[in-house]
Amino acid sequence: AMSPTNQRTHAATSPTADRTPAIARMVAALASLCAGAIYLLIGTNVVSVGRSTQEATTDLFAFGALMAIVSLAVAIALWLVPWSRFALIGVAIVELVALIGYVAAAGVREPPFDLWGVLIKVLQATVLVATVYLFAERDRWTNTVRGGAA
């Protein structure tokens, strides 16, 4: 039997000991897919997010379809290349633009904030937090991820 100290040391070096990066990647990918599904529901008018207060109306189908595609691309990047600095930085930028854009455009929507929009932002914030974690911990876990799935 191993002493408690040896058990901790062994666990710390075991490639299966810390599943946090894999869980973060899975949660982020699923959150992005959920956000994309809601964007599709918005684009097809299955759910309502209110209306524009501007003269020109927003093409909700084009917006919903585009954001659903972006959300799918984010999920694919997180799933296939989570060790890529380029992919992680790209995902973080996309999520920041979406989060900031939603708040910045609040004045041209009625209502300014809606349930579906806020739910999407919670999902996108989840993706952003997981992406920042994956980026910050990248050097610590990339060898086990790349070696196992490549």
Side-chain angles (χ1 to χ4, degrees):
M2 282 193 243
S3 72
T5 303
N6 286 343
Q7 286 175 345
R8 280 193 302 276
T9 304
H10 178 72
T13 58
S14 169
T16 58
D18 187 4
R19 303 288 302 151
T20 308
I23 292 168
R25 182 179 85 168
M26 190 180 325
V27 166
L30 288 173
S32 191
L33 290 174
C34 288
I38 296 170
Y39 275 124
L40 270 182
L41 293 175
I42 291 169
T44 55
N45 287 318
V46 173
V47 299
S48 175
V49 292
R51 58 181 178 74
S52 173
T53 59
Q54 303 295 307
E55 292 287 326
T57 58
T58 304
D59 181 353
L60 283 181
F61 179 76
F63 170 75
L66 173 66
M67 292 306 293
I69 291 167
V70 169
S71 297
L72 178 61
V74 163
I76 290 169
L78 288 166
W79 195 255
L80 295 181
V81 288
W83 57 81
S84 166
R85 280 190 174 98
F86 177 76
L88 292 173
I89 290 169
V91 166
I93 290 169
V94 164
E95 299 305 327
L96 279 171
V97 167
L99 289 163
I100 293 167
Y102 182 74
V103 175
V108 298
R109 285 190 305 265
E110 186 55 45
F113 299 98
D114 62 279
L115 171 67
W116 296 109
V118 171
L119 180 57
I120 289 171
K121 296 312 138 195
V122 167
L123 292 166
Q124 289 173 326
T126 301
V127 173
L128 181 60
V129 168
T131 301
V132 169
Y133 166 79
L134 289 171
F135 188 84
E137 296 292 316
R138 184 186 166 280
D139 291 335
R140 190 169 64 80
W141 63 268
T142 49
N143 292 336
T144 58
V145 171
R146 266 191 140 152

